[in-house]
Amino acid sequence: ENAPQTEAKNTAKPATAATLDRDSTCTTCHDENESKPILSIYQTAHGNKADSRTPSCQSCHGDSAKHLSNKSAAPDVIFGTKSVGSHAPSEAKDQNKACLTCHDKDAKRTHWEASVHQTADVACTSCHETHTAHDKVRDKKTQPDVCFACHKDQRTQINKFSHHPIGEGKVACSDCHNPHGSAGPKLLNKNTVTETCYTCHADKRGPFLWEHQPVTEDCTNCHTPHGSNITPLLKSRAPFMCQECHDGPHQSKAPAAGNVEGTQGGLTSVPNESFAGRACMNCHSMVHGSNHPAGALLQR
Amino acid sequence: LSAYAADDADALTKPSSSVDFGVLYSSQDSARFGQYNGLNKKGFYGLGGFDVRGGDGYDRDKNSALRWKLNGSDLGTTSRNMGASIGEQGKWKFGIGYDELRHNITDTFQTPYREDTGGNNFTLPANFGGTNGGVIPASRGLTPTQLSAFHTEKEYSTRRNGSVGATFSFTDSLSAQIDYNHLEQSGAKLIGTGSQAGINLLGGSTGRAEAVAMIMNPTSSSTDNINAALNWVGDKAHLTAGYYGSLFHDDYNSLNWQTQQTTAASNCVGINCYVNNSMSTAPSNSFHQANLSGGYDFSSTTKLVGGFSYGYNKQNDNYAPTLIPQISRNTPNPYNMMQANGLPTTSLNGVVETTHGDIKLTNKSIKDLNLSAGFKFDERDNRTDSNTYKYMQIANVAYTGVNTPYSNRKLQYEAAADYRLAKGQNLNLTYLHESLKRWCSSVVGGAECVSSPASEEDKISLTYRLKLIESVNFNAGYTYADRRADTTNFLANAGNYAVVTPVSGSAFNAGNYQGFVAYPYASRSQNVGKAGVNWQVTQKLDLALNGRYSYDDYDAQLGVQNGQSAAVNVDATYNYTDDGSVSAYWSWQNGQRNLTSGAVNNGVAAFTPSQIIAPKNIWSNKLDDNSQAFGLLAKQGGLLGGKLELIGDLSYSLDTTTYATDVPYLTTCATPASLTCGVVSPIKNELISLKLTGNYKIVENGKLSLSYMYQKLNSNDYFYNSQQFGYTPNRVMPNGLQDQDYTVNVVALSYNHKF
């Protein structure tokens, strides 16, 4: 939250006093008695009047001449996703146009046009609250709830037995994803899945002497990052997971079933270390790659 | 509403600062409950947090854009964080931060090894003695002396992250930004270790191979990340030139431990008869990346954006020792893991160059039609040398390995059209073609090293969005993808290169049976459908329903045959007053995977993996992953004249994972002695959580919060069976790891003061 934020581009704007004067056209009626915190926008970056770029009410909501002459008429631009009283929100493209007047040119929004959120008519105000000092989507602890309003599968997955500390407020969706568009898959911050994961898991980057091909290509070949019933964030459990790619060497060819449960599961013979517990990874524990000269089989 | 109505305009326009402090009590020791929240121990915790803001930039009468902020939260736990920032908006900004997170893994791990968490040299007590892996654990037993050596170690990994960042605007159109963070990690995570105990012993015998023990692999490392960027913004264009650096340093390059397991034949049973072992840890490495991205507006309706990145990843950490000193009285000292002249170099000098390029053109010049066309290029070029490494593998068998540095290149071409059929009605059509190449450069022997050297994929998506009426939004989408993978001529350098035969044996199809294809590299067709509806029934009531289904079909005689996933989510929110609301959700998810594989040749010895598997030897396995979750959240404010707010949050989730194996060619597979077919007991995790919070405004700026949380986890996982004393496989050291069930009650009282 304390990281410097990308600044809006500098465009010609009225001086501070003039901006406040223009605001007063609206704040004369829309005051502290509003059901929504209209005036608290002055606590936000959009209310820092000494910044020559700071907008007035009309900069975003339009001159709204009809509204000024007839209070029951809607202002030019109504933000949000729900109807308020008799006023329906403006179309997403019209809402976003107001925001992009200043925020359309910076590295974080370079790929907004034709991005999955843009084409799905997601409005800036679908996620951002511009009139409050605390914009939930820019707070690590509250951001996930904003994203889960649409991404409901992930809302369930982050509470699974194995998960990143998202619900605990230590990892946010935006640590991996850029909702404003990106050059990577799934709106990832980096160009590839592996590059994104390495920002925190640099120990898996290598390059290793003995590489594991699917590991070098895509972490999600084995892991599911939003949550799993199998630790650590695995799509499946060894030996079954390993057998999805191996059917020959060592015990990978052998069918496994109740024997993975060991003696307590009813097995009368001695449990096999290739099936029980960590199974294959009892010995082949360097599945992300080994840098040992005697570790070709990812055992060292 | 009442909260705001009670405030005056000044309170709304001036910065709101707050400080809170209090105490929390947790009723149970539980590493699982405290996995990430720092509440892993029973007892009292201090609560503390602050958010203080100020600066003339908040004063409308002063012509200053200067604002500053101090914040901190969870100060009384190991999940604490703090930060500070100051800046003159539009000109400069400076920020610092500190974030701490302790990942509590388990508090039931038992080990006889002598080493603190975070160390890398694990030794056994001198009087521990040997154990014979040749007999079953129950009869082998551990002596009272050996059992007394076991002690509990709490497994955890702590992350401390310090950051500093700054931005500066040189002119209206030119600004610079730099962020730096230093991440320190300490602690350990459990890792399986197969011993090379099969070393030569006097008399020509060998020590027992594959003696397995779980070791506390140290996570003693640091990562420095640097992000620097220079941003230029013009009227029609913008450009950002940046640098990203990531430097990972591991304090260790090896993990060392002793194995007590030997055989009677070795004359090596008793005091000090241990085999010393060593394996590698994550190597230190560096990554430097230059980035360039920007865009140009040809007109208000036609825009071009693109980017280019070049990354240089190097790893040249010294190899872990291969000469392992032995204290066993009968073993060669030291034991050389490598064969004569088997070590071509003392470090890898590994280099991977990553290159990325992307360009996208968007056009809105035709009314109601948005068009886009894009191209992406991603390459991982592993320039590491390939060499031959001759060593003694884990069972003391001579092994020749050839490292195969993997490279790949992905090209993506995308075209999309979004057409507005009518107001509130859109149709989106997207086509994507992906071309993927894989290779290894200059591999010793020159054989094809990769699974699926090439693949081509076409994907087409159709999405329809409809605003049925102002209060009802509907969307539906369908995606079809067809991946055609080249799996021919695959002769991996996997396996023991010394015995590789080009048309069969360990190198053929990576040692897999003919017709087997690993699922990431198989030809595949994919169908995905999804739909959803959001209905604002009234100003107070919102309903939502959405679902998705996907089906993947793999073209492989052996391997994963198909997989499917489905999900349904139902949401309802009722804001019955401005101060009161109730919201509920229900979520169901299911995933399945069907695998067909080939087993050993039904009793026939010396079966060569490269042979075509006989139909009678086919077996199958089905994964079934189910998840259900329910949540209910209720809020009621405005009580007692607007002084009291009550919040209730109830959630329940049940996740089960089941494996079913069918082996038709074995009529005896379900016997208690084998259990190679049938259904595995579900891996089950059931979580119930209830949190009740009351916030009472005792003074104008002071709020007292009392909260109670009940959380219960019912966990049932067969994984732990084989970790117990007397129930392990022959050569596995028990560790007593237990299921991580818990029932925790938490009470917290805190005071929040605003000023």
Side-chain angles (χ1 to χ4, degrees):
Chain A
E1 190 181 2
N2 298 297
Q5 300 300 310
T6 306
E7 300 289 351
K9 79 174 182 182
N10 197 325
T11 54
K13 289 285 186 297
T16 302
T19 308
L20 288 169
D21 289 344
R22 292 194 69 192
D23 285 357
S24 65
T25 306
C26 307
T27 54
T28 301
C29 300
H30 298 286
D31 56 15
E32 69 277 12
N33 297 314
E34 287 288 327
S35 58
K36 283 190 172 183
I38 302 296
L39 299 182
S40 56
I41 194 171
Y42 291 109
Q43 295 182 35
T44 73
H46 288 140
N48 195 333
K49 296 303 181 181
D51 181 352
S52 61
R53 307 167 305 167
T54 297
S56 69
C57 307
Q58 295 98 322
S59 303
C60 305
H61 291 279
D63 291 336
S64 307
K66 291 182 180 177
H67 178 67
L68 290 175
S69 60
N70 176 8
K71 299 294 182 285
S72 61
D76 294 350
V77 181
I78 298 179
F79 293 93
T81 57
K82 296 181 178 178
S83 297
V84 179
S86 59
H87 299 322
S90 303
E91 287 193 56
K93 64 181 178 66
D94 296 324
Q95 294 185 45
N96 294 347
K97 184 179 179 181
C99 304
L100 294 171
T101 301
C102 296
H103 295 288
D104 69 332
K105 289 186 173 61
D106 63 53
K108 288 185 176 179
R109 295 166 192 79
T110 293
H111 294 89
W112 170 253
E113 286 296 331
S115 70
V116 63
H117 281 156
Q118 189 267 333
T119 54
D121 278 341
V122 174
C124 305
T125 53
S126 299
C127 308
H128 291 284
E129 296 179 81
T130 54
H131 277 264
T132 60
H134 180 242
D135 186 5
K136 291 178 183 174
V137 80
R138 291 181 59 199
D139 182 335
K140 214 165 202 173
K141 290 181 182 293
T142 52
Q143 181 190 88
D145 285 337
V146 176
C147 302
F148 295 156
C150 296
H151 300 279
K152 302 178 192 298
D153 288 355
Q154 287 72 24
R155 174 183 59 190
T156 300
Q157 290 162 355
I158 65 138
N159 289 315
K160 291 195 173 197
F161 187 78
S162 178
H163 60 270
H164 278 115
I166 298 169
E168 292 82 356
K170 306 301 284 187
V171 170
C173 309
S174 59
D175 287 337
C176 301
H177 299 279
N178 180 355
H180 303 115
S182 82
K186 304 286 185 183
L187 297 182
L188 288 176
N189 286 331
K190 298 293 186 177
N191 298 325
T192 64
V193 171
T194 53
E195 229 179 88
T196 304
C197 299
Y198 293 156
T199 54
C200 293
H201 303 283
D203 55 313
K204 307 295 189 299
R205 184 167 49 207
F208 294 90
L209 166 59
W210 308 107
E211 294 187 318
H212 195 179
Q213 186 180 339
V215 174
T216 63
E217 296 178 3
D218 188 339
C219 306
T220 62
N221 281 326
C222 299
H223 294 283
T224 174
H226 295 119
S228 170
N229 199 35
I230 310 294
T231 299
L233 288 170
L234 288 171
K235 285 180 171 179
S236 185
R237 162 75 60 83
F240 308 108
M241 180 178 73
C242 307
Q243 291 175 323
E244 292 177 3
C245 293
H246 299 283
D247 174 37
H250 200 16
Q251 291 277 24
S252 63
K253 66 175 77 64
N259 48 20
V260 302
E261 300 182 62
T263 310
Q264 302 93 320
L267 184 71
T268 54
S269 61
V270 179
N272 186 321
E273 56 261 41
S274 296
F275 300 149
R278 299 199 167 203
C280 314
M281 289 177 284
N282 273 323
C283 296
H284 301 276
S285 50
M286 307 299 286
V287 289
H288 294 106
S290 168
N291 204 53
H292 198 292
L297 300 179
L298 306 183
Q299 294 169 313
R300 296 174 174 137
Chain B
L1 171 61
S2 57
Y4 284 113
D7 295 326
D8 59 17
D10 193 51
L12 286 171
T13 56
K14 297 295 184 184
S16 174
S17 297
S18 68
V19 59
D20 59 86
F21 53 86
V23 63
L24 176 149
Y25 176 77
S26 182
S27 67
Q28 181 183 335
D29 290 339
S30 172
R32 166 54 53 171
F33 173 71
Q35 182 182 22
Y36 293 123
N37 60 21
L39 305 177
N40 56 303
K41 287 184 174 297
K42 174 183 179 180
F44 289 91
Y45 295 82
L47 297 177
F50 57 90
D51 185 337
V52 185
R53 306 173 188 226
D56 291 345
Y58 288 104
D59 190 334
R60 300 167 64 180
D61 299 327
K62 294 182 179 179
N63 190 29
S64 170
L66 185 72
R67 290 180 174 184
W68 55 265
K69 175 184 174 184
L70 301 170
N71 68 287
S73 64
D74 300 322
L75 300 179
T77 72
T78 53
S79 292
R80 61 184 59 88
N81 73 84
M82 289 171 281
S85 64
I86 183 170
E88 189 173 358
Q89 188 170 305
K91 295 180 179 177
W92 61 273
K93 186 171 184 178
F94 175 79
I96 58 174
Y98 173 78
D99 184 80
E100 184 176 325
L101 175 64
R102 172 164 160 153
H103 177 195
N104 292 294
I105 302 169
T106 177
D107 47 19
T108 63
F109 176 67
Q110 297 181 58
T111 177
Y113 287 101
R114 297 291 188 260
E115 175 62 286
D116 295 332
T117 301
N120 76 323
N121 189 25
F122 295 85
T123 59
L124 288 164
N127 64 345
F128 192 80
T131 57
N132 187 345
V135 295
I136 64 173
S139 62
R140 177 184 73 213
L142 293 168
T143 66
T145 300
Q146 291 169 332
L147 288 171
S148 67
F150 281 83
H151 56 285
T152 300
E153 291 281 355
K154 295 186 185 303
E155 295 306 308
Y156 63 90
S157 177
T158 298
R159 182 189 75 174
R160 294 182 174 87
N161 195 355
S163 62
V164 57
T167 57
F168 184 79
S169 297
F170 301 99
T171 67
D172 292 347
S173 59
L174 187 65
S175 65
Q177 177 176 339
I178 184 166
D179 298 309
Y180 166 79
N181 74 67
H182 177 77
L183 173 66
E184 285 277 354
Q185 286 190 283
S186 59
K189 294 181 179 179
L190 297 178
I191 188 172
T193 58
S195 165
Q196 104 290 2
I199 63 174
N200 298 320
L201 300 173
L202 292 183
S205 62
T206 63
R208 175 64 58 184
E210 296 186 359
V212 175
M214 292 256 268
I215 300 292
M216 301 180 291
N217 190 27
T219 54
S220 182
S221 62
S222 65
T223 307
D224 294 281
N225 287 307
I226 305 158
N227 259 307
L230 187 64
N231 309 298
W232 174 80
V233 177
D235 291 336
K236 301 192 65 150
H238 70 282
L239 189 66
T240 295
Y243 163 78
Y244 170 66
S246 174
L247 310 173
F248 172 76
H249 172 75
D250 195 324
D251 296 338
Y252 304 112
N253 78 333
S254 68
L255 173 63
N256 310 298
W257 75 101
Q258 295 180 328
T259 300
Q260 87 293 350
Q261 211 151 84
T262 56
T263 61
S266 68
N267 298 318
C268 186
V269 177
I271 294 174
N272 287 338
C273 187
Y274 306 133
V275 176
N276 288 350
N277 312 275
S278 182
M279 65 191 294
S280 62
T281 57
S284 299
N285 64 77
S286 63
F287 181 67
H288 304 277
Q289 186 179 53
N291 300 293
L292 192 65
S293 68
Y296 180 77
D297 298 351
F298 292 102
S299 69
S300 60
T301 58
T302 306
K303 299 182 178 183
L304 181 72
V305 298
F308 176 81
S309 299
Y310 169 78
Y312 185 84
N313 170 206
K314 181 157 186 170
Q315 188 277 105
N316 199 28
D317 216 13
N318 287 334
Y319 288 146
T322 54
L323 285 173
I324 311 301
Q326 299 294 329
I327 61 172
S328 173
R329 64 173 181 266
N330 289 341
T331 56
N333 191 3
Y335 173 66
N336 190 350
M337 291 180 170
M338 309 305 292
Q339 301 173 45
N341 303 316
L343 185 62
T345 173
T346 57
S347 64
L348 182 62
N349 194 24
V351 173
V352 170
E353 294 183 9
T354 55
T355 311
H356 166 88
D358 67 88
I359 188 166
K360 181 171 66 179
L361 181 67
T362 57
N363 178 274
K364 298 179 178 178
S365 58
I366 303 174
K367 186 176 184 299
D368 296 332
L369 179 64
N370 297 344
L371 299 171
S372 71
F375 168 75
K376 289 183 190 176
F377 170 93
D378 281 289
E379 180 176 278
R380 179 189 195 262
D381 185 6
N382 191 335
R383 298 184 168 233
T384 305
D385 290 338
S386 172
N387 283 303
T388 301
Y389 292 78
K390 297 182 178 180
Y391 66 91
M392 304 303 291
Q393 65 157 295
I394 205 163
N396 201 45
V397 176
Y399 190 95
T400 300
V402 170
N403 66 306
T404 54
Y406 295 117
S407 296
N408 61 75
R409 179 188 303 120
K410 181 189 291 184
L411 304 178
Q412 290 181 312
Y413 308 84
E414 184 176 64
D418 191 84
Y419 183 63
R420 174 171 158 156
L421 301 168
K423 184 179 181 182
Q425 192 173 177
N426 290 64
L427 193 65
N428 181 279
L429 180 65
T430 301
Y431 168 74
L432 172 72
H433 177 78
E434 179 178 292
S435 180
L436 184 60
K437 302 286 184 188
R438 301 182 178 94
W439 71 93
C440 296
S441 301
S442 307
V443 172
V444 173
E448 178 59 74
C449 73
V450 293
S451 191
S452 184
S455 69
E456 302 287 330
E457 181 167 17
D458 294 295
K459 179 184 289 186
I460 187 164
S461 302
L462 187 65
T463 304
Y464 174 69
R465 302 190 309 281
L466 170 66
K467 183 180 281 290
L468 199 56
I469 55 177
E470 201 51 57
S471 59
V472 179
N473 289 294
F474 170 80
N475 69 80
Y478 170 73
T479 299
Y480 174 76
D482 176 38
R483 181 175 71 196
R484 301 167 300 282
D486 173 11
T487 56
T488 60
N489 304 318
F490 173 37
L491 182 65
N493 287 91
N496 189 346
Y497 202 75
V499 295
V500 163
T501 52
V503 295
S504 65
S506 62
F508 191 92
N509 195 25
N512 295 322
Y513 293 126
Q514 286 191 32
F516 185 93
V517 185
Y519 83 92
Y521 310 112
S523 294
R524 179 199 66 186
S525 66
Q526 184 177 63
N527 289 272
V528 180
K530 57 184 179 181
V533 60
N534 294 296
W535 180 22
Q536 185 182 355
V537 183
T538 68
Q539 290 285 329
K540 295 182 176 181
L541 179 63
D542 291 278
L543 300 176
L545 168 68
N546 70 58
R548 60 168 174 81
Y549 175 78
S550 70
Y551 181 80
D552 294 359
D553 185 36
Y554 295 89
D555 181 16
Q557 180 189 352
L558 297 174
V560 175
Q561 299 299 293
N562 57 67
Q564 57 183 312
S565 68
V568 176
N569 297 288
V570 181
D571 285 67
T573 301
Y574 181 52
N575 299 295
Y576 52 90
T577 67
D578 291 329
D579 293 326
S581 66
V582 177
S583 61
Y585 72 86
W586 174 76
S587 177
W588 170 83
Q589 295 178 24
N590 173 262
Q592 294 180 21
R593 182 270 293 142
N594 288 298
L595 168 72
T596 295
S597 194
V600 289
N601 193 21
N602 200 2
V604 178
F607 185 74
T608 306
S610 62
Q611 292 180 6
I612 297 175
I613 191 72
K616 66 178 182 179
N617 295 333
I618 299 294
W619 57 273
S620 63
N621 177 268
K622 179 180 180 179
L623 160 65
D624 194 339
D625 195 43
N626 270 290
S627 175
Q628 288 197 65
F630 166 80
L632 180 65
L633 174 66
K635 294 182 180 179
Q636 178 61 62
L639 301 171
L640 302 180
K643 290 185 174 183
L644 179 64
E645 177 189 46
L646 298 176
I647 303 170
D649 189 352
L650 172 68
S651 65
Y652 170 84
S653 65
L654 174 62
D655 295 284
T656 57
T657 304
T658 308
Y659 293 93
T661 304
D662 184 22
V663 191
Y665 75 88
L666 280 177
T667 57
T668 59
C669 65
T671 61
S674 62
L675 296 178
T676 50
C677 66
V679 181
V680 175
S681 298
I683 301 165
K684 179 181 174 183
N685 288 292
E686 182 181 39
L687 182 65
I688 305 165
S689 180
L690 171 66
K691 185 174 183 180
L692 303 173
T693 303
N695 300 316
Y696 184 70
K697 193 174 183 180
I698 54 176
V699 293
E700 180 59 29
N701 296 325
K703 182 175 66 177
L704 200 62
S705 295
L706 177 64
S707 66
Y708 164 77
M709 182 169 72
Y710 167 85
Q711 196 167 96
K712 180 179 179 61
L713 172 68
N714 296 320
S715 183
N716 191 341
D717 191 336
Y718 61 77
F719 169 87
Y720 298 99
N721 293 353
S722 57
Q723 312 298 306
Q724 308 309 315
F725 294 84
Y727 296 94
T728 65
N730 284 23
R731 299 182 290 269
V732 175
M733 177 84 78
N735 56 53
L737 278 173
Q738 300 293 317
D739 263 320
Q740 298 188 307
D741 295 3
Y742 64 76
T743 302
V744 177
N745 293 276
V746 174
V747 178
L749 179 66
S750 64
Y751 175 73
N752 177 280
H753 183 73
K754 291 186 181 298
F755 55 94

